[in-house]
Structure formats: structure tokens, C-alpha cells
Amino acid sequence: MMTRFLTSPRLKVQFAGALPYLALLAGMIALACGTAFAKTLFPVLGAEGTSAMRVGLAAILLLAIWRPWRFRFSRRDLTAMVLYGVVTGGMNLMFYLSLKTIPLGLALAIEFTGPLTLAMLHARRPIHFVWIGCAVAGLLLLLPIGRGAIQLDPVGVLLAGLAGVCWALYIVFGKRMAHLPAGPSVAIGMTTAALVILPFGVARAGLELFNPALLLAGLAVAVFSSALPYSLEMIALRKLPERTFGVLTSAEPAVGALAGLMFLSEQLSLLQWLAIAAIVVAASGSIATTGHDKTAAAPVPAE
């Protein structure tokens, strides 16, 4: 009886429908934990060196696993993958630079203005704006608006904002790759990202990038904050509309704040806990109404 239940077509359909959401959630958790651990490497490698090691090792892993040279891609597909890699590299580098002066949860909140703006541009039904409004309310609670705002490092805020622009472009270019095999396309994209970041990393960290002890730590960072989450996000991007993807990733600042609390001892205030609740409502509400969403989930056509 149990075997028949587990192999029933209805259960398989339900699991297939939940898979992109599960992939996105797992990717956010891995990314937040990996980034929190990566911040502990800043004293030795700096933000640039840590970012270069993270993305570089992730690219090597993905190339070894997927061997994208076995696949034939058109020039348009290769262009999309290169653009995806460039904005991924810019997003990683600027976000890590912002972490030098502002907390992880706050940096993620500011960075999220990019995909949130994209989500608003693709909103169609009134209920979509309700969930976006919940996400905005949560983000506003995460930001130290008031007396604390003047203490924020303006350069860190600017870098996090620029990372948000790259994040929005990452979603757009990722959708343009949605018809391609996820693993090989992400491998090429991450290799491009590594080439973008590597000169900055070498200039900052030099030979420390090849320290065996640090390479082991960097390998863990690469797996949990680059290779694994980006591959899982690509699975989600292939099935979810841009609006839905943008709203669901509103949980990322909350996940990052929790990771900061666990691994970096960054304490959460009552307002930040309320922000987490608002963001969770936005994410769960988006999931609840996606079944009635008529927006096409097809990839964005290349221009």
C-alpha cells in the first residue's frame, strides 16, 4: 500500500511542482551559511581574495563535474552565458566588498532591492502586489532607518546596491539560459565570473590564494556559497516566472540574518524578527498563489 502511494502519479506531479521551490530554499540556506563562513576569511584574504577563491574553486568544481565542452552551444547561447557570468562576478565581488563595512543581513537587504524591483515590474494581479508589499515592509524593518542610518558606511551601502543591480541582471540572463542544461551552462557562467574577479583577488591576496590550509576552507565556501546554490537556483529559474522568483528570494535577507546570528554573533532586534515574519509571509503567499498565475514561465527571449 505504501509503495503504491509513493509511486502514484499524483504524488509525482506534486513533487515535481514543489521541486523548484525546494531547490530555491536549499540554495538560499547554503548561500547564507557559506557567506557567513567566508566572512571569517577576510582578515587573511580580504574581500577580494575571498571572493576570487570562492568563485574560482566553484568554477573548477563545476567544470570537472559537468564538462561543458562536451555540449554544443550556439553563439547566442554562449553570449547569454558570458553575460550571466559577468554579472555574477560583479555581484559577488561588490557584495563581498560591502561586507567589509556593513552586516550580512543588512547587506542582503540592500542587495535585494534589485530583484525586488524586477518582481514589481513583472507583477500583474492585485494579490501579487500584496506579497511584494509584505516583502518591502520586511526589508524596511531590516534597514536601520532613523538615527542608526547615519552611521552606515556609504561606500558599503553603494556596493550592496550595485550588487543588487547585478542580481536583477543575473535573474534576467539566467532566464535566457533556461532552455539550456543547467549544470553545463552554470559551469561556463561561473568560469566567466571567476575570470572577472581573479585579477582583483590576486592583487589583494597574492600567493595566499594558494595556501593549502586556506584552499580547504575556500573549497567549503565555494561549494556552499557558489556551486551548490547557483546550480539549485538555475533549476528554480527554469520553472518559475521572474516575478515569483524575485518575491521568493525575499527570504534571503532573513536567512542571511539568521546565519549572521549563528556564525557571526550578529544579534537580531525585535524589529528584525518582525521583518523576518513579514518576509516569510511574502514568500509563502507567493507560493500559495503561483498555482493560479498565468504568467508564462518561459525564458526571457534574447534581444
Side-chain angles (χ1 to χ4, degrees), residues 140-160:
L140 291 177
L141 289 173
L142 280 174
L143 293 173
I145 297 174
R147 293 182 179 179
I150 197 172
Q151 300 174 4
L152 290 178
D153 175 57
V155 176
V157 172
L158 175 62
L159 288 167

Side-chain angles (χ1 to χ4, degrees), residues 115-295:
L116 179 60
T117 301
L118 188 64
M120 294 179 67
L121 292 174
H122 288 82
R124 292 294 181 267
R125 300 170 57 210
I127 191 62
H128 297 160
F129 291 97
V130 173
W131 309 133
I132 292 173
C134 288
V136 170
L139 291 173
L140 291 177
L141 289 173
L142 280 174
L143 293 173
I145 297 174
R147 293 182 179 179
I150 197 172
Q151 300 174 4
L152 290 178
D153 175 57
V155 176
V157 172
L158 175 62
L159 288 167
L162 291 174
V165 174
C166 290
W167 192 356
L169 293 174
Y170 162 84
I171 296 172
V172 172
F173 293 135
K175 288 295 290 185
R176 293 184 181 182
M177 294 162 49
H179 64 289
L180 300 173
S185 58
V186 172
I188 294 176
M190 288 300 291
T191 301
T192 305
L195 293 175
V196 170
I197 300 174
L198 192 59
F200 298 94
V202 172
R204 170 60 179 82
L207 294 178
E208 286 295 328
L209 285 174
F210 305 99
N211 184 318
L214 293 177
L215 280 173
L216 185 61
L219 182 61
V221 172
V223 171
F224 287 99
S225 64
S226 288
L228 182 59
Y230 289 156
S231 296
L232 290 170
E233 284 185 1
M234 184 55 62
I235 293 174
L237 276 168
R238 295 179 68 184
K239 299 295 183 181
L240 298 177
E242 289 177 11
R243 176 198 54 77
T244 302
F245 185 90
V247 174
L248 288 179
T249 50
S250 63
E252 201 151 300
V255 175
L258 289 172
L261 174 64
M262 294 175 60
F263 301 108
L264 303 173
S265 300
E266 295 176 351
Q267 298 296 319
L268 295 174
S269 67
L270 177 60
L271 286 180
Q272 288 172 326
W273 283 113
L274 291 175
I276 291 173
I279 291 169
V280 168
V281 168
S284 59
S286 177
I287 293 174
T289 57
T290 297
H292 305 287
D293 190 3
K294 302 301 181 182
T295 305

